[in-house]
Amino acid sequence: MITRRQLFQGIGAAAVGGVGFGGYALAEPFGTSVTPYRLSPPGWPAGLSLKLAVIADLHACKPWMDVERIEGIVAHVNSLSPDCVLLLGDYVAGVRISRYSEPVTHAEWSGALGGLKAPLGVHAVLGNHDWWEDQEAQDRGCGPTRAGLALERAGIRVYENACVKLSKDGQPFWLAGLGDQWAFYKHRRGSKSYVGVDDLAATLAPVTDDAPIVLMVHEPDIFPKVPARVSLTVAGHTHGGQVRLLGYAPIVPSRYGARYVYGHIVERERNLIVSGGLGCSGIPVRFGSPPEVVMIELGA
């Protein structure tokens, strides 16, 4: 196991721009900011004001995202008094990041998230790493996953192609959660392909009225297929590029490149917000894409 000191020394020595760049890139993963958005999507009902807290891509591991840090994030989110908390997947450390870190157990990170409080509940979808780290689920070709079960034991509802009708001040809305689009990975002749458990039609099928819909997804790649009937789609997965140089992200895990890398995107009057997330994937470095909790005020 590489030590934290060795990792700091190695990346610091190799970082572009020398020690200043390396030190910043290694320090940035330990900060957390709150990024606010205020919008009224087309057709959003007058009088429905909804405050959503979004947590994405924790990638729990020591020392980068240990239990104490997760508990601090939970306390901060609770202090913002959201109506709902939306968890967008990748709670576990990826395989590659684990080379530089130590594990945080499922009971530990899910127990910390179990401290989240909101009057309209805490709601979750799974991410690709939550599927990939569970070899038994990979072998079966279906869930449940260890991460999903841990969330449920912590009292958090996990959505897989499902939705629920909620109400704020007598005004109804639908909250939907899509199954992960990259749940299973396949290796063929040196290349990788991904198979999802996502079913957008089934996710939205229970909607029986014209109340607005908020859709939770992990990967933003589904967005071109999301109908205008959905008021807002929220996603994670990209980490905002994780490393951005002068606003450019050289690596984005999306078939669309940087099209959905980060922030508020409007296409054909449809709204998508992509969180930069909180943790790290691949290597424990973030640069130009600081960790964030997203706060969305709809109809405010």
Side-chain angles (χ1 to χ4, degrees), residues 33-51:
S33 61
V34 176
T35 303
Y37 295 91
R38 300 185 69 178
L39 64 152
S40 291
W44 190 261
L48 176 55
S49 179
L50 193 61
K51 190 175 181 182

Side-chain angles (χ1 to χ4, degrees), residues 60 86 93 119 137 162 165 171-172 174 176 181 199 210 248 250 281:
L86 311 182
K165 193 174 187 180
Q171 294 261 40
W174 293 88
Q181 301 157 65
D199 187 332
D210 61 355
Y248 169 69
S281 180

Side-chain angles (χ1 to χ4, degrees), residues 25-211:
L26 285 162
E28 193 171 274
F30 289 97
T32 302
S33 61
V34 176
T35 303
Y37 295 91
R38 300 185 69 178
L39 64 152
S40 291
W44 190 261
L48 176 55
S49 179
L50 193 61
K51 190 175 181 182
L52 308 174
V54 177
I55 295 175
D57 302 288
L58 281 172
H59 291 288
C61 63
K62 302 173 186 177
W64 321 106
M65 185 63 69
D66 58 18
V67 173
E68 290 75 16
R69 184 176 175 197
I70 297 171
E71 289 174 341
I73 292 167
V74 166
H76 193 179
V77 169
N78 287 343
S79 74
L80 299 173
S81 301
D83 296 310
C84 282
V85 180
L86 311 182
L87 307 179
L88 300 186
D90 276 5
Y91 311 99
V92 304
V95 175
R96 287 179 293 170
I97 194 74
S98 64
R99 299 174 187 174
Y100 311 106
S101 64
E102 297 178 5
V104 171
T105 69
H106 291 71
E108 289 174 323
W109 62 255
S110 64
L113 291 176
L116 288 163
K117 305 295 181 185
L120 298 182
V122 182
H123 312 267
V125 293
L126 298 180
N128 55 300
H129 285 286
D130 305 317
W131 283 92
W132 294 357
E133 66 101 29
D134 191 334
Q135 190 57 52
E136 292 182 359
Q138 293 291 310
D139 294 340
R140 287 194 309 269
C142 66
T145 64
R146 292 196 295 267
L149 292 172
L151 287 165
E152 290 173 351
R153 284 193 292 268
I156 296 171
R157 178 171 178 177
V158 179
Y159 293 70
E160 185 177 305
N161 306 321
C163 66
V164 64
K165 193 174 187 180
L166 302 173
S167 180
K168 167 79 182 299
D169 297 330
Q171 294 261 40
F173 68 95
W174 293 88
L175 180 63
L178 186 71
D180 188 67
Q181 301 157 65
W182 288 19
F184 303 103
Y185 59 87
K186 310 291 183 182
H187 293 271
R188 295 177 181 173
R189 296 181 180 178
S191 64
K192 292 182 180 180
S193 62
Y194 304 103
V195 177
V197 293
D198 56 302
D199 187 332
L200 184 59
T203 302
L204 301 179
V207 175
T208 55
D209 56 27
D210 61 355

